[in-house]
Amino acid sequence: MGTARFEELVNMLKSIDVLMLDDVGSEKMTDWLRDEIIGPIINYRLMEGKPLFMSSNLTPTQYKEHLMLSDKIKAERIMSRLTSLVRQVSLEDSNT
């Protein structure tokens, strides 16, 4: 995928009216994914007041650890923005 196409896709995820990210935390986290995709998308959506829905098997604390890798400050920055942007709703599985 070329750079222009990549930027086009990230910009679409930033600006689409409603964004749903499914199974967050199951991806193989890298510094690049965190710093070039996840962080900018979350920051943009927060600044523009655009809704973001996320599903995950991780708690916010577990997701923060998933984001940390080599840079705790960047992980904390993303989690701070997520805390401002999303409301946590826990769902319990009655089959477990």
Side-chain angles (χ1 to χ4, degrees):
M1 175 182 311
T3 303
R5 178 72 177 135
F6 169 76
E7 288 179 15
E8 180 183 328
L9 289 171
V10 171
N11 286 333
M12 179 198 61
L13 293 172
K14 286 179 180 178
S15 61
I16 195 166
D17 289 337
V18 177
L19 178 62
M20 173 64 193
L21 301 177
D22 186 34
D23 206 12
V24 172
S26 66
E27 69 282 353
K28 179 169 175 27
M29 184 56 62
T30 64
D31 289 340
W32 179 82
L33 177 61
R34 181 196 60 214
D35 300 344
E36 301 299 324
I37 299 176
I38 295 173
I41 289 170
I42 290 170
N43 188 59
Y44 182 91
R45 297 192 71 79
L46 174 63
M47 300 308 287
E48 296 298 318
K50 294 197 170 280
L52 170 64
F53 295 89
M54 299 170 63
S55 71
S56 180
N57 289 331
L58 303 178
T59 66
T61 301
Q62 291 169 327
Y63 188 60
K64 180 179 175 182
E65 291 171 6
H66 180 67
L67 288 169
M68 276 189 192
L69 292 174
S70 61
D71 196 328
K72 183 178 178 181
I73 292 173
K74 288 182 180 179
E76 289 175 349
R77 194 174 295 144
I78 290 171
M79 289 307 297
S80 172
R81 286 168 174 80
L82 275 177
T83 301
S84 298
L85 187 60
V86 300
R87 179 173 50 106
Q88 181 179 347
V89 177
S90 296
L91 302 175
E92 300 297 324
D93 184 354
S94 61
N95 293 324
T96 59

